[in-house]
């Protein structure tokens, strides 16, 4: 292929879903991914889908298995000082979330892309973007030892936080806001039925813990850990002992020492690079922003970004090239950033309230006060619930 309409860099949920949405608008794409298809399909990450995300996946025609296998959750729980407090998402907002792993979303999207005969190149090396600020954007890459160059109208940078797209934009054209947190999350995946019905976010004396799941027989659990720690220092026994302690109560007591299938440490970060457009290049998903996982927003934001981007590209193709087409393209960044910053705020807030920070007594008293207020005030619960289920797209 020497030319396509849109080159998509990165086959994470953002890139794959954008390809699917553009295909439905009759727009051609080429998808370039650095890793192998098996590697991409096997990566364990997020697990909670907002109803807006489910709607977009339906619109993209990839929600059949999601509806059959996804677990609908009408509430979440917050554990604090030996008690569990339920936030009734359904009663407070009329909406629920769906527990369905990012791995499954990725698999559904990969299968749909292959079935539609859209071109994807996995294990594409040395992907480089050319003339993104000009009128002849091109992307070069090496595949099985052969160098290729493809001309296009637009490039979608969906290549995650460490990708090349954001770095292809001159530093003076991007404004970056960042906060790094002084801890990480150690996550374990294990085949055992969850001892809990809904997700439990626990703020304990020993630090944060999250009890999540992937299916009626598979759990995903996390504990806050030091950034200096390595996975090898955490045997399964040590992980479960710590998790039980932090979860506490009768549920903690029912958690078995299940062998881990996967174990990894992720640092926590808040990050936004803006605007999301530079000439013919658009950033979407983790390439443009990172949220700490506490609000379960990373995957959901990737989905809303590419939904807005697909509309902007569709609208611009409907215009003759000129001012109106440019305005349609500019609308993407403005629209997406409004939602991104709201998710950044909520993810920061959840992180702030649920983790142990190396702060002073004042910070810690404020955290307790904030949580007590949340447990007692319906207004505070509505605010948390409407953000957790996701603001409208
Ligand atoms: P990604 O999923 O990162 O996809 C980007 C793709 O681009 C990758 O496949 C990558 O291989 C490819 N790529 C990178 N560089 C290049 C290049 N130069 N050329 C070609 N391709 C390239 N969110 C939660 O809500 N809960 C979690 O528990 C959670 N855990 C996470 C754990 C980790 C280790 C990470 C990194 C993220 C986690 N997230 C979590 C966040 C969530 O998974 C992301 O927000 C989501 O994956 C974003 O999708 P994306 O498509 O934008 O980026
Ligand atoms: C997960 O199941 O991996 C998960 C759930 C909720 C979060 C983060 C991760 O907030």
């Amino acid at each position: 292929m020497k030319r396509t309409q849109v080159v998509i860099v990165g086959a994470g949920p953002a890139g794959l879903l954008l390809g699917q949405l553009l295909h439905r608008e009759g727009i051609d794409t080429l998808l370039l991914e650095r890793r192998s298809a098996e590697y991409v399909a096997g990566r364990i990450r997020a697990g909670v889908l907002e109803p807006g995300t489910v709607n977009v996946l339906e619109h993209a025609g990839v929600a059949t298995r999601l509806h059959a296998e996804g677990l609908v959750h009408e509430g979440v729980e917050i554990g604090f000082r030996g008690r569990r407090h339920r936030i009734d998402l359904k009663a407070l907002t009329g909406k629920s979330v769906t527990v369905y792993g990012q791995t499954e979303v990725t698999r559904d999207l990969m299968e749909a892309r292959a079935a539609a005969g859209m071109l994807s190149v996995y294990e594409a090396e040395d992907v480089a973007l050319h003339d993104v600020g000009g009128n002849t954007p091109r992307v070069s890459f090496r595949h099985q030892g052969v160098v290729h160059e493809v001309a296009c109208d637009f490039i979608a940078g969906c290549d995650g936080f460490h990708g090349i797209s954001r770095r292809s934009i001159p530093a003076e054209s991007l404004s970056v806001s960042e906060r790094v947190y002084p801890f990480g999350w150690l996550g374990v995946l294990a085949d055992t039925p969850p001892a809990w019905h809904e997700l439990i976010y626990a703020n304990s004396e020993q630090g944060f813990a999250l009890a999540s799941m992937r299916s009626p027989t598979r759990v995903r659990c996390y504990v806050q850990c030091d950034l200096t720690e390595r996975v090898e220092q955490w045997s399964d026994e040590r992980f479960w002992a710590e998790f039980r302690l932090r979860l506490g109560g009768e549920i903690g007591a029912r958690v078995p020492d299940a062998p881990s299938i996967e174990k990894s440490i992720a640092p926590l970060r808040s990050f936004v690079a803006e605007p999301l457009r530079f000439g013919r290049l658009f950033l979407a998903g983790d390439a443009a922003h990172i949220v700490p996982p506490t609000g379960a927003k990373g995957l959901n934001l990737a989905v809303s970004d590419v939904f807005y981007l697909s509309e902007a590209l569709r609208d611009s193709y409907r215009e003759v090239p000129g001012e109106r087409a440019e305005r349609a393209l500019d609308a993407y960044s403005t629209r997406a950033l409004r939602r991104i910053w709201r998710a950044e705020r909520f993810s920061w807030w959840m992180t702030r309230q649920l983790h142990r920070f190396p702060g002073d007594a004042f910070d810690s008293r404020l955290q307790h006060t904030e949580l007590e207020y949340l447990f007692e005030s319906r207004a505070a619960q509505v605010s948390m619930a409407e953000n957790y289920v996701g603001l409208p797209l």
Side-chain angles (χ1 to χ4, degrees):
M1 182 194 267
K2 288 280 177 270
R3 183 172 177 86
T4 186
Q5 287 178 290
V6 181
V7 172
I8 301 173
V9 186
L16 284 164
L17 180 59
L18 179 65
Q20 193 65 22
L21 292 168
L22 292 179
H23 176 67
R24 292 177 90 83
E25 299 294 344
I27 299 169
D28 279 339
T29 61
L30 167 67
L31 181 69
L32 299 177
E33 164 62 47
R34 188 167 54 130
R35 303 283 194 165
S36 69
E38 296 70 40
Y39 180 92
V40 170
R43 239 171 356 204
I44 310 296
R45 287 180 171 181
V48 175
L49 307 185
E50 298 172 358
T53 295
V54 173
N55 288 343
V56 175
L57 293 170
E58 269 168 14
H59 172 71
V62 289
T64 311
R65 203 162 63 91
L66 157 63
H67 284 308
E69 296 176 18
L71 309 172
V72 174
H73 282 200
E74 297 190 348
V76 291
E77 295 194 332
I78 296 182
F80 185 56
R81 300 202 150 169
R83 286 189 55 198
R84 288 178 6 242
H85 305 262
R86 183 166 188 266
I87 307 295
D88 191 332
L89 303 172
K90 182 78 181 188
L92 293 162
T93 67
K95 295 176 186 162
S96 319
V97 293
T98 304
V99 174
Y100 190 67
Q102 182 169 330
T103 336
E104 309 309 314
V105 174
T106 305
R107 196 177 115 197
D108 296 342
L109 285 164
M110 285 173 117
E111 283 174 6
R113 187 166 179 93
M118 291 181 270
L119 207 56
S120 314
V121 179
Y122 286 88
E123 298 177 81
E125 296 170 85
D126 301 334
V127 175
L129 316 185
H130 310 281
D131 197 29
V132 287
N135 292 323
T136 55
R138 295 175 322 279
V139 180
S140 61
F141 61 98
R142 193 155 46 85
H143 185 239
Q144 295 175 342
V146 182
V147 175
H148 302 263
E149 186 169 282
V150 177
C152 56
D153 301 326
F154 304 106
I155 301 166
C158 300
D159 48 354
F161 186 64
H162 300 286
I164 44 104
S165 296
R166 194 180 64 252
R167 283 184 276 126
S168 306
I169 299 174
E172 63 274 16
S173 299
L174 269 190
S175 143
V176 168
S177 318
E178 185 169 28
R179 172 134 314 171
V180 177
Y181 301 86
F183 42 73
W185 277 21
L186 167 65
V188 159
L189 188 72
D191 275 330
T192 178
W196 45 92
H197 299 295
E198 293 173 333
L199 270 59
I200 306 173
Y201 292 82
N203 174 335
S204 83
E205 291 293 332
Q206 296 78 25
F208 171 79
L210 169 60
S212 182
M213 63 187 78
R214 287 291 178 273
S215 76
T217 57
R218 181 170 279 191
V219 297
R220 177 70 167 161
C221 301
Y222 301 91
V223 295
Q224 170 184 355
C225 67
D226 263 17
L227 283 171
T228 52
E229 287 187 285
R230 284 175 297 112
V231 170
E232 300 75 50
Q233 295 169 298
W234 285 86
S235 65
D236 290 351
E237 292 69 30
R238 179 178 171 208
F239 177 84
W240 291 118
E242 190 61 35
F243 181 74
R244 274 192 287 268
L245 194 65
R246 295 187 190 190
L247 208 54
E250 27 111 26
I251 293 196
R254 280 196 279 131
V255 176
D257 267 352
S260 62
I261 312 172
E262 194 261 3
K263 197 187 280 160
S264 52
I265 293 180
L268 267 66
R269 182 195 299 273
S270 298
F271 175 93
V272 182
E274 52 193 313
L276 306 179
R277 176 182 183 194
F278 178 74
R280 305 285 107 186
L281 169 64
F282 299 86
L283 300 178
D286 278 16
H289 45 76
I290 296 289
V291 285
T294 332
K297 291 283 165 259
L299 171 59
N300 292 293
L301 271 189
V303 168
S304 53
D305 280 4
V306 298
F307 175 68
Y308 294 145
L309 180 55
S310 69
E311 291 200 331
L313 292 171
R314 177 201 66 193
D315 292 349
S316 88
Y317 276 118
R318 285 180 182 167
E319 303 287 348
V320 284
E323 210 177 295
R324 283 162 65 100
E326 288 303 305
R327 226 177 304 134
L329 296 172
D330 278 335
Y332 163 60
S333 186
T334 318
R335 241 180 130 190
L337 280 166
R338 262 176 75 81
R339 198 165 195 279
I340 290 163
W341 272 108
R342 287 175 188 199
E344 289 286 348
R345 184 201 72 82
F346 177 66
S347 304
W348 166 85
W349 180 84
M350 286 281 281
T351 304
R352 186 70 237 170
Q353 305 322 325
L354 294 171
H355 293 76
R356 290 283 134 160
F357 280 80
D360 56 16
F362 187 78
D363 287 338
S364 140
R365 290 291 287 130
L366 276 187
Q367 191 192 59
H368 292 184
T369 306
E370 184 88 22
L371 285 173
E372 279 165 8
Y373 175 59
L374 173 66
F375 303 144
E376 287 161 21
S377 159
R378 188 185 149 87
Q381 288 175 23
V382 170
S383 171
M384 177 188 152
E386 73 176 6
N387 281 280
Y388 193 83
V389 301
L391 297 168
L393 258 81

